[in-house]
Amino acid sequence: MGIAAGTAAAAPLVSRAAPATAAAAATAPAPATWAVRPFPLDQVALGDGVFRRKRDLMLEYARSYPADRILAVFRANAGLDTRGAQPPGGWETSDGNLRGHFAGHFLTLLAQAYADTREAALKSTLDYVIGALAECRQAFAEHGSPRPSHPGYLAAYPETQFVLLESYTTYPTIWAPYYTCHKILRGLLDAHTLAGNAQALTLASGLGDWAHSRLARLPRAQLERMWSIYIAGEYGGMNEALADLYALTGRAEHLTAARCFDNTALLDACAADRDILDGRHANQHIPQFTGYLRVFDHTGEERYADAARHFWRMVAGPRTYSLGGTGQGEMFRARGAIAATLGDNNAETCATYNLLKLSRQLFLRDPDPAYMDHYERGLTNHILASRRDARSTSSPEVTYFVGMGPGVVREYDNTGTCCGGTGMENHTKYQDSVYFRSADGGTLYVDLPLAATLRWPERGFVVEQTSTFPAEGVRTLTFREGAGPLDLRLRIPSWATTGVTVTVNGVPHPAAAVPGSHLSVSRSWRPGDRVQISTPYRLRIERALDDPTVQSVFHGPVLLVAQSPAQGFRAFSFYRDFTLQGDLAAAIRPEGRPQYFTTHGLTLAPFFVADSTRYHAYFRRTEPVVVFGTADSGVPNRARGDGLTFLDVLWAGAPFASQARFLDAVRALADGWQAEGRLTRAERDAVVAAAVRANLRR
């Protein structure tokens, strides 16, 4: 992939004056179903750190990429002058069956970037693209061949793909026409709601009218068969975008069109909590459930919300790799199949983009910290890692698949692909889930530890969160402006199991900080008040669900990967190095650079450092014999039915306050394993004798 030589890459970003389409950004009122509300992008500013540096790389691309290249396929379809510009490439070519999708992502990129920075040049480019799309739509409506069935139709190809889908034509004869339509519609909505472009709403409304005219006349059985077709029936988040359009226009046709996208068989199964995901295309289905939540907001039909909640639980955990991504070769695999599916084509980045959107939408309706625990994992270890740490004005430089198998490498670029499109969006909205507020405005949720400043004009507060996350787990909230009562809800991440402290103006907060919960700090705040939250990082492992010997290592929330080109699992053994603390720090040593470690002669690096080094996200844990330091019992370290070995169970009880406590734990466990038939009497005695000989320091 990439941009071919001789294209218009060096052409001016804008080739004529942008039309005056600016208006105040307008969003629909938050639904009554939302227990918490997000803050607009322009009210939250990223602070210094790695997230801002990644964002700035994408802003440079947004400022520089020629808008006429994005528009070339639309102008060609409308019979207009393409101004010498070539399409971006990848799937975005003059004859590609997905052409036009990249323009929608580009609009969202510009809208998010403008909402964040208020740079006039970004707004000018966005307005220029919208104005040109309006010209294309009008020209195609008047002179298209064949003429569109409705004047609201807007695409970079004739309606042929949509007609063929209605007769169940399969991929690759057609690709995913409604997927492409969704990207355009979403980009138009973002251009309106984030950047105040009124013309974008006119175009979006017309596209919604066209979708209604095309789909509302079709029998439900025909629609259901269409949406069940692999790839060709993929429609992205059309139901979400149409529901959002309905919230802005109030036109019943737009909500009716959203419900035309009910993928009924899967919807009903998930509503009933029946897991039928194995073998289904992951990214084809994840955004459907975000759409179902938006339809629920407008209809109150609980089956839509039930389906979304159950679907999330089927994926987030049972089908999630350690970086927070899902899928093998774009497909969902069997529930719990993690070790069995590791390769070079795991974790499509689009799928993580959409699963984080779904997590966020679920959180708005039910502020369960589990949703934001998952969000933090995926954001920190997949999305942050998906943008190459290098400048480019010709490519978004993002990942498609992110392999989880041994010795794989990340590949970047993805100009014109689906992940190239969502990748442009990922890195210009990092701040959208740091803060939330309750529906009544009396509570402020702080759910991500990114450095970011909130301006909350309705309450008069300016709250700054400073942190070096993901470098360390200490953050400070400072009330810069405003005064009055407010309940702070601070998410204590599930990985923060020891040593968590919260202080208010230097005084320890009396309530316990429970991992995986929100800690409430309520008071009347004044300028200068400070809350410090310390969630110390510890080295820890996570086991694959289907094979506990296949493991990943984390430093707090940060996935560490072993740098090695070897194509087989690296074997790691840690327990023989343990002290009474039972801490991996005894076996995994700091390398010298922050968040870099060494073990077994290999460097462990934070995965969010995005380069082309071959890596291992999982290793094979091998602890064959029960050993305590230098004291070897000679007894096999057998596993029980759940895959946990004797040493796994023993060290799960660490730290031990003294050698005597350690001996008590060994005796009790050995007695239990003998009683259950996993140790003979002689083996039990050998294990206890080795523990007696061991001299494990604190």
Side-chain angles (χ1 to χ4, degrees):
M1 284 179 276
I3 298 173
T7 67
L13 182 64
V14 181
S15 60
R16 64 181 176 86
T21 55
T27 56
T33 51
W34 290 7
V36 299
R37 314 289 166 85
F39 289 95
L41 276 178
D42 61 358
Q43 289 183 214
V44 184
L46 277 179
D48 290 337
V50 63
F51 288 93
R52 185 166 175 171
R53 291 194 294 273
K54 297 270 191 174
R55 181 209 65 177
D56 288 349
L57 290 171
M58 197 59 75
L59 287 180
E60 186 175 13
Y61 172 82
R63 296 181 187 112
S64 306
Y65 197 79
D68 285 335
R69 296 195 65 181
I70 295 292
L71 292 164
V73 289
F74 289 88
R75 286 173 169 155
N77 183 55
L80 300 176
D81 181 5
T82 62
R83 308 181 185 208
Q86 295 296 315
W91 302 344
E92 193 72 19
T93 61
S94 59
D95 59 352
N97 277 346
L98 214 64
R99 62 189 184 272
H101 78 112
F102 216 57
H105 292 296
F106 192 69
L107 284 173
T108 296
L109 165 65
L110 292 173
Q112 291 178 172
Y114 173 70
D116 185 7
T117 66
R118 293 297 170 185
E119 291 182 20
L122 293 168
K123 181 67 161 63
S124 178
T125 303
L126 182 143
D127 290 344
Y128 172 73
V129 173
I130 295 295
L133 290 175
E135 292 173 358
C136 291
R137 187 183 80 165
Q138 182 175 348
F140 194 67
E142 293 174 353
H143 309 295
S145 179
R147 295 275 290 275
S149 63
H150 188 283
Y153 180 71
L154 176 60
Y157 44 67
E159 250 178 310
T160 311
Q161 284 206 51
F162 298 93
V163 175
L164 289 172
L165 177 61
E166 290 168 12
S167 61
Y168 315 124
T169 303
T170 57
Y171 168 85
T173 301
I174 62 172
W175 276 37
Y178 281 102
Y179 176 95
T180 308
C181 183
H182 166 249
K183 304 313 167 193
I184 297 167
L185 179 56
R186 181 79 265 165
L188 292 170
L189 290 171
D190 290 339
H192 176 65
T193 59
L194 297 176
N197 187 295
Q199 192 174 25
L201 182 59
T202 300
L203 292 175
S205 185
L207 195 50
D209 292 344
W210 166 81
H212 178 264
S213 71
R214 179 116 230 140
L215 296 174
R217 60 183 175 81
L218 300 181
R220 170 54 57 184
Q222 184 176 3
L223 291 170
E224 291 174 4
R225 184 172 171 185
M226 286 162 55
W227 309 143
S228 70
I229 302 173
Y230 172 73
I231 297 293
E234 182 174 359
Y235 58 75
M238 273 298 290
N239 50 357
E240 177 197 9
L242 286 164
D244 287 349
L245 179 63
Y246 167 71
L248 291 166
T249 66
R251 297 188 56 206
E253 295 91 341
H254 296 153
L255 183 57
T256 298
R259 300 186 72 169
C260 286
F261 288 93
D262 285 3
N263 189 358
T264 308
L266 182 60
L267 172 63
D268 288 347
C270 289
D273 205 11
R274 286 188 294 109
D275 188 336
I276 60 171
L277 298 185
D278 187 11
R280 293 180 183 266
H281 188 282
N283 199 52
Q284 180 168 347
H285 296 98
I286 297 170
Q288 296 176 6
F289 290 85
T290 306
Y292 294 147
L293 283 174
R294 293 295 287 124
V295 173
F296 163 71
D297 289 337
H298 297 304
T299 66
E301 293 186 27
E302 289 288 346
R303 72 183 184 115
Y304 288 111
D306 289 343
R309 287 190 292 266
H310 295 153
F311 173 84
W312 186 87
R313 294 190 196 103
M314 295 172 191
V315 179
R319 290 182 171 89
T320 300
Y321 300 106
S322 52
L323 84 166
T326 189
Q328 180 194 40
E330 299 193 1
M331 310 300 285
F332 285 129
R333 298 306 179 191
R335 191 183 185 105
I338 301 299
T341 59
L342 300 177
D344 62 0
N345 62 344
N346 302 118
E348 183 186 6
T349 304
C350 273
T352 298
Y353 160 91
N354 278 308
L355 196 58
L356 296 192
K357 283 186 68 174
L358 178 59
S359 302
R360 183 176 187 267
Q361 287 288 325
L362 286 164
F363 182 83
L364 294 177
R365 293 153 183 83
D366 172 18
D368 184 337
Y371 295 128
M372 296 311 292
D373 274 351
H374 180 84
Y375 196 101
E376 178 187 83
R377 176 191 292 265
L379 185 73
T380 306
N381 297 301
H382 190 169
I383 300 305
L384 191 62
S386 69
R387 177 55 170 85
R388 188 202 296 267
D389 294 325
R391 298 173 62 186
S392 175
T393 57
S394 61
S395 165
E397 291 295 337
V398 292
T399 56
Y400 196 111
F401 293 121
V402 179
M404 290 282 99
V408 297
V409 64
R410 274 172 285 183
E411 296 178 352
Y412 305 92
D413 181 20
N414 283 296
T415 297
T417 71
C418 56
C419 291
T422 55
M424 292 191 292
E425 301 179 30
N426 280 328
H427 307 283
T428 48
K429 61 171 184 174
Y430 284 130
Q431 72 269 41
D432 76 348
S433 298
V434 176
Y435 301 101
F436 300 90
R437 64 177 180 86
S438 62
D440 64 5
T443 301
L444 177 65
Y445 289 80
V446 187
D447 273 275
L448 291 178
L450 281 63
T453 298
L454 167 68
R455 296 187 179 277
W456 189 359
E458 295 86 354
R459 291 293 312 271
F461 286 116
V462 175
V463 182
E464 180 185 21
Q465 179 166 257
T466 54
S467 84
T468 61
F469 182 85
E472 64 175 358
V474 178
R475 54 192 168 117
T476 301
L477 286 165
T478 303
F479 283 77
R480 297 297 185 191
E481 296 179 18
L486 184 69
D487 180 19
L488 276 183
R489 299 283 176 89
L490 309 172
R491 183 178 63 88
I492 307 300
S494 57
W495 52 262
T497 55
T498 58
V500 177
T501 60
V502 177
T503 63
V504 181
N505 295 330
V507 178
H509 185 61
V514 178
S517 72
H518 281 112
L519 176 67
S520 177
V521 182
S522 295
R523 60 180 284 156
S524 185
W525 302 91
R526 297 180 299 176
D529 282 345
R530 296 163 62 90
V531 180
Q532 186 178 81
I533 308 100
S534 177
T535 51
Y537 286 8
R538 295 182 65 227
L539 292 162
R540 60 189 179 85
I541 59 99
E542 289 188 1
R543 301 176 174 90
L545 296 174
D546 52 338
D547 184 348
T549 69
V550 175
Q551 301 178 358
S552 290
V553 62
F554 285 78
H555 187 223
V558 177
L559 174 65
L560 301 177
V561 292
Q563 295 181 335
S564 166
Q567 296 300 295
F569 283 117
R570 300 305 300 255
F572 290 171
S573 201
F574 297 136
Y575 286 137
R576 66 173 57 248
D577 295 318
F578 273 24
T579 69
L580 294 177
Q581 291 296 109
D583 196 321
L584 282 169
I588 301 175
R589 304 290 188 177
E591 188 211 59
R593 292 175 287 174
Q595 292 188 283
Y596 282 77
F597 298 84
T598 60
T599 190
H600 297 77
L602 298 175
T603 294
L604 299 182
F607 192 51
F608 63 78
V609 176
D611 56 24
S612 296
T613 304
R614 291 193 173 273
Y615 61 86
H616 294 237
Y618 287 87
F619 60 89
R620 177 77 69 183
R621 185 73 172 268
T622 174
E623 308 279 1
V625 179
V626 177
V627 177
F628 309 115
T630 59
D632 187 338
S633 72
V635 176
N637 182 35
R638 299 188 183 96
R640 63 190 188 190
D642 61 2
L644 297 183
T645 68
F646 181 92
L647 289 175
D648 290 334
V649 178
L650 173 69
W651 287 110
F656 299 105
S658 64
Q659 186 78 9
R661 292 288 180 86
F662 169 72
L663 286 172
D664 289 343
V666 172
R667 287 192 183 98
L669 185 60
D671 289 345
W673 279 50
Q674 180 192 348
E676 293 164 2
R678 283 189 286 272
L679 292 176
T680 66
R681 176 66 189 214
E683 288 173 332
R684 178 264 178 207
D685 292 345
V687 167
V688 173
V692 170
R693 294 196 309 275
N695 182 19
L696 303 184
R697 63 192 186 284
R698 285 288 295 165

